[in-house]
Structure formats: structure tokens, C-alpha cells
Amino acid sequence: MTNAREQKTILVLGGTGKTGRRVVPRLRAGGVPVRVGSRSAAQPFDWTDRTTWAPVLRDVGAVYVSFYPDLAVPGAPETVGAFADLAVASGVTRLVLLSGRGEEEAQAAEKLIRSVGVEWTILRSSWFSQNFSEDYLREPVSGGEVVLPVGTVPEPFVDADDIAEVAVAALTGGGHAGQIYELTGPRLLTFADAVDEIARATGRRIDFVPVSVEEYAGALAAEGAPAEVVELLTYLFTTVLDGRNAQVADGVQRALGRPPRDFADYAKDAAATGVWDRA
Ligand SMILES: NC(=O)c1ccc[n+]([C@@H]2O[C@H](COP(=O)([O-])OP(=O)(O)OC[C@H]3O[C@@H](n4cnc5c(N)ncnc54)[C@H](OP(=O)(O)O)[C@@H]3O)[C@@H](O)[C@H]2O)c1
């Protein structure tokens, strides 16, 4: 890590989200000036309101780019590309993009980041383990029944702490420019396996119930989920889970010189926080 006094501010977009909120404290612990970029931040940042972009880029040297909701949604690459152009014009010299593994649409955003003429690193990530404890799967797990439109295609779930550590290395260290890191966990698990691991860690019965995509989309819509959310989730559970990502990769090892964290360790630690306790 370079001397903090020489270091310009690092902007962490999605700084309150699953990876960003793990990146921020790690940077601060290293003495790096950090600005959180999100709608609820002191200086609000909103992807959908371009007037909020320039103020958060003031005096910034590097940016962690975590787009919301997903680089696969229509218009996302153009938005990320426009932000990257403004960032470079504002003096940013390093961009670290959180991307999705096996998402062709995300690769359009990667291409734009790689072409703006500054140091870049791409973190192409698998499904986060933390989706089970910090996102839409938390409630079903706590309730004892996880209903999903997925079969037996396995996924190498990756721990958000590993992603954050790689992000910090890429934002502050040397040797990561021009790298595309495929970030996965150390082994493949089906969603049923993952739920089993969580059941073991909590000592509770948690059922995994596979359903068709149509049933799943219908249930989400009936619960009042907006059409674009239904579309994104069904895309993630079908296209991204069609087998294209059913292999582990060595991105964590390459970036950090150590193996990634296992899902069982994640489940044990998350269970100990009480996050899946019944209300
Ligand atoms: N989850 C996964 O398994 C996974 C896997 C691979 C890649 N990814 C990628 O990771 C990225 C983040 O997704 P996530 O699901 O993990 O979300 P997340 O980072 O956990 O949460 C969303 C973050 O974005 C901010 N945010 C929400 N709406 C915003 C807006 N309109 N403008 C600016 N900031 C906004 C939120 O803060 P405020 O509410 O304060 O604005 C929060 O900091 C996505 O690009 C996704 O494709 C996710």
C-alpha cells in the first residue's frame, strides 16, 4: 500500500452493499481516505442521476465500481462507460470493476472500462455466498424453506470477504493492472448442497424445493415484485446457471496468493451471528 499522505481518495461505489461495505473498512484500516458512493451516502451518488456523479469524483484517484442492480440490465454498460469517461476526465487513474461471471452483457461494460486509458482490474465474480444471509435468500433460509428455479447445476459460491480483499489489493497495490480475476470459491455446490451446509451450521431443518422458472416468476409477481426484478432474477437463475460457470477458477489464489474461503466456513460464521435465527 502506498503512503497514505500521498494517496488520493478512493471512491467505493455500492459502498454500503455486500462487497462495498467490506471494502470500505479494509481501506480505512490501511489509512486510505475513502468516500462511500451510494444514494444514502453523505454526498449522495445515484447511477440514475448523472448530476450526482461529478461531486463524488472530486479529488478521487481510484474507484471501486459496483453497479446496481446488475451489469446485465439494459443500458448498464453505457451508464458504466459514461461514468468511467467522467472519472478519467476528473483525474481518476485506476478503476476496479465488479463484474459477473458468464454474463455476456457484463462483458460489454468490462470492454468500456478497459478502453478508457487508465489502469483497470476486472473482478468477474461467481454468486456470492452472502446472498443467503444478506440478501433475498435470508428470509427463506430463516423460514426453513428455500424455493428456487434451479436444478443440479453446481455453482462455485464465492465469499464477499474474498472479493473485498481482492478489490483492496487491486485498488491500492501493484501488479493487478490489466488483470481479469475470475473469483470463485474452492468447490462446486448445488443450491441444495449450499442449503444443506447452512442447515448443518444452524442445526436446523431447512428444506430446498426446486420449482420451474414459470412457477418461481409467478410467485414473485404475486408477492408484488416489480417486473424488472422478476426478469433479472429469472435471468440469473437460468442463463447464468446453465452450466457455463460450473467450474472453479483461480482468481483469489492469483490475486492474494492464498486459497478462497470455503462455503462451510462462511455458513458457520454467518450462523454464529444469529442472522438465520427465527424471529
Ligand atoms: N450478488 C451476487 O451474487 C453477484 C455476483 C456477481 C456479481 N454481482 C454484481 O455485484 C453488483 C452489486 O450487486 P449486489 O446485488 O451485490 O448489490 P449490493 O452491492 O449488495 O447492494 C447495493 C448497493 O448499491 C447501492 N445502490 C442501490 N441503488 C443504487 C443507485 N440507483 N445508485 C447508486 N447506488 C445504488 C446501495 O446503496 P444505497 O441504497 O444507499 O444507494 C448499496 O450500496 C452488481 O453489479 C451485480 O451484478 C453480484
Side-chain angles (χ1 to χ4, degrees):
M1 210 175 267
T2 46
N3 187 320
R5 271 175 303 182
E6 297 164 11
Q7 191 137 29
K8 292 177 84 176
T9 297
I10 295 183
L11 172 64
V12 180
L13 300 182
T16 56
K18 288 187 292 299
T19 61
R21 64 172 165 260
R22 292 174 160 84
V23 172
V24 169
R26 283 174 168 82
L27 289 173
R28 289 200 172 126
V32 179
V34 180
R35 184 173 301 140
V36 170
S38 90
R39 294 166 306 173
S40 57
Q43 176 68 59
F45 166 81
D46 192 333
W47 283 109
T48 65
D49 177 3
R50 294 188 185 203
T51 65
T52 66
W53 294 6
V56 297
L57 283 165
R58 214 164 285 136
D59 301 322
V60 166
V63 186
Y64 176 64
V65 182
S66 172
F67 183 76
Y68 193 83
D70 197 291
L71 291 177
V73 303
E78 293 75 17
T79 303
V80 169
F83 178 83
D85 285 340
L86 183 65
V88 173
S90 310
V92 166
T93 57
R94 191 176 279 201
L95 294 168
V96 176
L97 176 70
L98 176 62
S99 185
R101 197 162 172 245
E103 290 187 17
E104 274 161 37
E105 298 82 350
Q107 283 165 28
E110 293 179 6
K111 209 166 155 197
L112 292 170
I113 291 279
R114 292 166 62 178
S115 67
V116 289
V118 296
E119 290 184 332
W120 56 264
T121 308
I122 308 289
L123 314 186
R124 230 179 242 172
S125 297
S126 304
W127 282 66
F128 305 166
S129 304
Q130 279 76 6
N131 290 332
F132 288 97
S133 50
E134 301 176 20
D135 212 316
Y136 54 92
L137 296 177
R138 187 177 70 79
E139 269 187 38
V141 170
S142 303
E145 186 180 76
V146 179
V147 181
L148 288 176
V150 291
T152 53
V153 173
E155 172 71 11
F157 296 96
V158 64
D159 196 299
D161 279 308
D162 282 344
I163 300 171
E165 237 173 87
V166 176
V168 169
L171 287 163
T172 61
H176 303 286
Q179 295 291 325
I180 298 177
Y181 290 124
E182 294 229 0
L183 302 181
T184 76
R187 65 186 165 117
L188 290 165
L189 291 100
T190 62
F191 274 76
D193 294 336
V195 169
D196 273 351
E197 291 279 5
I198 294 171
R200 203 166 303 136
T202 56
R204 287 194 16 228
R205 177 179 166 168
I206 306 166
D207 293 327
F208 174 74
V209 183
V211 291
S212 71
V213 171
E214 293 73 24
E215 283 174 281
Y216 180 71
L220 281 180
E223 284 165 18
E228 60 272 20
V229 171
V230 177
E231 203 172 308
L232 177 59
L233 284 174
T234 50
Y235 162 81
L236 292 173
F237 283 118
T238 53
T239 309
V240 180
L241 267 180
D242 66 357
R244 69 183 65 193
N245 291 327
Q247 62 276 322
V248 297
D250 64 354
V252 173
Q253 179 73 43
R254 274 207 299 130
L256 302 176
R258 63 153 177 85
R261 207 161 165 248
D262 192 77
F263 191 88
D265 294 325
Y266 149 75
K268 191 155 56 75
D269 288 353
T273 68
V275 69
W276 292 309
D277 291 351
R278 281 183 206 273

